[in-house]
Amino acid sequence: MTGSVLFTIVLTVLWFITGVRDLMGKDPLINLPFNQYNRDPEYRAFWQKKNGIWELANGITFGLSNVLIVFPEARTARTVVLVIMLIVDVIYVVAYESWEHSND
């Protein structure tokens, strides 16, 4: 097992754990004092659902890319899956930032 495969497995498991914790409404693993989660419960519930789905989608994508790495003929499919994940992540971050600064 190479280092990149091990990294992918660990990252997949971490994304699943944090996604499930967010969907269950648990506290974030890293609780910072300036986090808006502490000030606004409605904001917290809204973003926990969105973050949970995003983290689970990343976990599924990384897990799928880990399975596709085994098959040499699926190299193109793996690249397409990872590019789609990157595009979705960028769109999610842009949407998150625009939501955060919409009242400014």
Side-chain angles (χ1 to χ4, degrees), residues 21-63:
R21 283 181 56 86
D22 273 346
L23 288 176
M24 290 174 51
K26 304 268 184 175
D27 289 333
L29 294 174
I30 300 173
N31 196 5
L32 303 172
F34 52 83
N35 198 344
Q36 189 169 347
Y37 276 11
N38 298 329
R39 296 189 308 259
D40 188 358
E42 185 177 329
Y43 172 90
R44 177 182 181 148
F46 177 78
W47 280 107
Q48 274 186 321
K49 291 175 190 165
K50 300 230 179 298
N51 288 340
I53 292 169
W54 176 70
E55 290 159 352
L56 287 174
N58 276 340
I60 290 168
T61 307
F62 248 59

Side-chain angles (χ1 to χ4, degrees), residues 3-22:
S4 66
V5 173
L6 183 61
F7 173 73
T8 304
I9 292 170
V10 168
L11 195 56
T12 300
V13 169
L14 285 175
W15 262 330
F16 271 110
I17 290 171
T18 56
V20 169
R21 283 181 56 86
D22 273 346

